[in-house]
Structures are given as structure tokens and as C-alpha cells.
Amino acid sequence: MAGGENIAIGYSCPAEVMNGWMNSKGHRNNILNPNFHYVIVGCIDLPEGNPYYNHGSGRAWVQLFIYDRYL
């Protein structure tokens, strides 16, 4: 595996999305995995009309985790 990822939709702020990820076993495992050396974090406001827009805040959050040896 070259890395990992966490994705969430509908949280309105970083604290909420992190709380959601930390309360999910798979997402928490990615965050705490000592083999991941780098993380890329992103957030985007989805446009109205997007099928996920009305799910919570309409924001999409992502974390990408990368092993050091792949850089």
C-alpha cells in the first residue's frame, strides 16, 4: 500500500471532522499509523446542485497519507 486516505462530507469545521474521523476505527487507524510520514489535508465547499451539498454543511474534507519511501 502506498498510502491511505480519509474522506468526510457534511462537517462544518476541522474540529467536527477530526472528531468524526477519530471515532471511526478505520479513519483513526490511518491518522495514528506510524508508517505514514506525510499528510495532505484539503477542504472544499461543494457547489449547490452537487448531490452531497445538502448533507450537513456541504463541505468535503480529505486527508491523504503517504509513506516516506514514495517521495
Side-chain angles (χ1 to χ4, degrees):
M1 178 183 215
E5 53 88 25
N6 288 341
I7 298 173
I9 295 175
Y11 294 94
S12 62
C13 70
E16 287 180 8
V17 74
M18 283 303 300
N19 186 51
W21 280 332
M22 292 303 285
N23 286 306
S24 164
K25 183 178 178 180
H27 295 106
R28 181 183 177 89
N29 287 344
N30 278 340
I31 292 167
L32 299 178
N33 186 333
N35 295 314
F36 295 140
H37 298 107
Y38 299 94
V39 62
I40 301 165
V41 178
C43 174
I44 186 169
D45 287 322
L46 300 170
E48 288 187 47
N50 182 288
Y52 298 105
Y53 180 81
N54 291 323
H55 184 335
S57 73
R59 287 195 174 124
W61 305 81
V62 64
Q63 293 178 319
L64 300 174
F65 301 95
I66 303 169
Y67 288 125
D68 185 50
R69 67 177 187 250
Y70 292 100
L71 294 180

